[in-house]
Structure formats: structure tokens, C-alpha cells
Amino acid sequence: MGDVRQGSGGHGAAIRFRAAGGLLLVAHLLLVGWLTLRPLDVPWVSAANLQPFAGIKADLALGPVQAARQIGGSLLLLAPLGLLLPLAGGRVHVSPLGSLVRTVAAGALISLGIELLQTGVPGQVVDIDSLFLNTVGVALAHIAVVPAVRARLRRRTDVEHRAALLREDASQGATPTIPRVGIAP
């Protein structure tokens, strides 16, 4: 019941939204995979960071510019998933909280998968803070954009649906009535 497909004319829009969302989602995940899972030729590798917020504290100690670059990069890496996952789903009439929870959970699982895959890639290091920041980035992007876009799409599909109902009523004319027939004795 909550699909863009509802109403007249919405079927093509749902297919376009899902196709565009799916294509952009795959392209983004390929880019993220290339950025995070390619081997790096480095002379040494730091130890894995499994202590929460230790990496963020270390980034903040480097100064504001370097901290903003490091923390911002981690926030932005998976942030597009906050938009692309709901777009690929193609649903407009859904619970905002449910959508946020599903999207953040999917973003966290993708980030966890990346971190686990990095254990086998030369030059890449597992960082628990990256998992946290990537997930927060997904949540912030979703909160900032998705509710407003869905509200706009709902208004548009509601207007189209009402217009289709009015066209349907006008084309059929008034509802015919049947005269009452008395009961025979």
C-alpha cells in the first residue's frame, strides 16, 4: 500500500525511482569499495583501532583542519546511502522512524562489512570509529533529505490521484438511480 505505484500515473514513476536509485546505489558502492578495499603500498601500517572514540580524539589532536578532513571524510563516505537506499526502495508512504531505522541499520551493516573486509587488504586498517562515523553520516543524510522529499512526492501523487478521480467521475457522468418499485400484494 505504501508504494509510489499507487494511483494513476504513479506506476512509471515508481519504476524510474527504483531504477535510478538502484543504479546510483550500485555505482556508489563500487566507488566506496574501490576507495576502501584497494591495497595500499605503505612502508608501515598502524594498529587496528578497536577502542571507541580513540581515533576521533587523535584526529582532533591534529588540529581543526586535519580533524575536519578526517572526520568529515568518514561522515561523507557512506552518507549517500541515507538517500539511495530509500530511493531504491521506491516507497513514499512509510513510517519515517521505520525508514530511518532500516536505512541506518543497512548503512551500519555495509560499514561493518567494509571494516571486516579491510582485515585482509594490505595497507588498510580496521577502525571502529570509521564504523561509527559512517553510520552517523548515513543517519544525518537520511534525516536531512528523505522526509522532505517523501512529503513532496506524497503531495504530488495525492494531487495526481485526485485529478484522476475527478476525470473518471466526469467521464462517467452522474451515478444512475433506479426507481423504487413497490411490493406486490
Side-chain angles (χ1 to χ4, degrees):
M1 178 175 174
D3 289 347
V4 173
R5 294 176 288 208
Q6 289 181 331
S8 66
H11 188 65
I15 292 171
R16 285 191 303 273
F17 276 113
R18 284 185 163 177
L23 184 64
L24 291 171
L25 181 63
V26 168
H28 178 69
L29 289 175
L30 287 173
L31 176 66
V32 167
W34 180 77
L35 288 172
T36 59
L37 299 175
R38 63 189 163 123
L40 298 177
D41 189 22
V42 292
W44 57 271
V45 177
S46 60
N49 174 23
L50 301 177
Q51 182 180 358
F53 306 112
I56 294 172
K57 288 177 188 173
D59 290 340
L60 291 172
L62 296 174
V65 174
Q66 189 65 21
R69 183 177 296 140
Q70 292 292 110
I71 293 171
S74 292
L75 283 171
L76 293 176
L77 182 67
L78 293 182
L81 294 181
L83 314 172
L84 296 175
L85 289 170
L87 182 64
R91 296 178 58 179
V92 174
H93 299 283
V94 295
S95 162
L97 181 60
S99 174
L100 176 66
V101 168
R102 281 189 303 274
T103 303
V104 170
L109 289 173
I110 290 170
S111 183
L112 178 63
I114 290 169
E115 293 299 322
L116 291 176
L117 287 172
Q118 282 181 339
T119 61
V121 179
Q124 297 287 359
V125 179
V126 175
D127 186 1
I128 193 74
D129 292 336
S130 291
L131 174 66
F132 173 71
L133 290 171
N134 292 339
T135 304
V136 169
V138 170
L140 291 175
H142 184 89
I143 290 168
V145 177
V146 172
V149 170
R150 279 194 173 137
R152 183 171 182 243
L153 288 172
R154 277 194 300 270
R155 282 192 304 271
R156 192 176 91 193
T157 56
D158 288 346
V159 167
E160 289 172 357
H161 183 67
R162 279 192 291 261
L165 288 176
L166 289 174
R167 281 193 306 270
E168 184 178 306
D169 286 346
S171 67
Q172 293 180 0
T175 304
T177 59
I178 302 173
R180 293 204 152 244
V181 178
I183 298 177

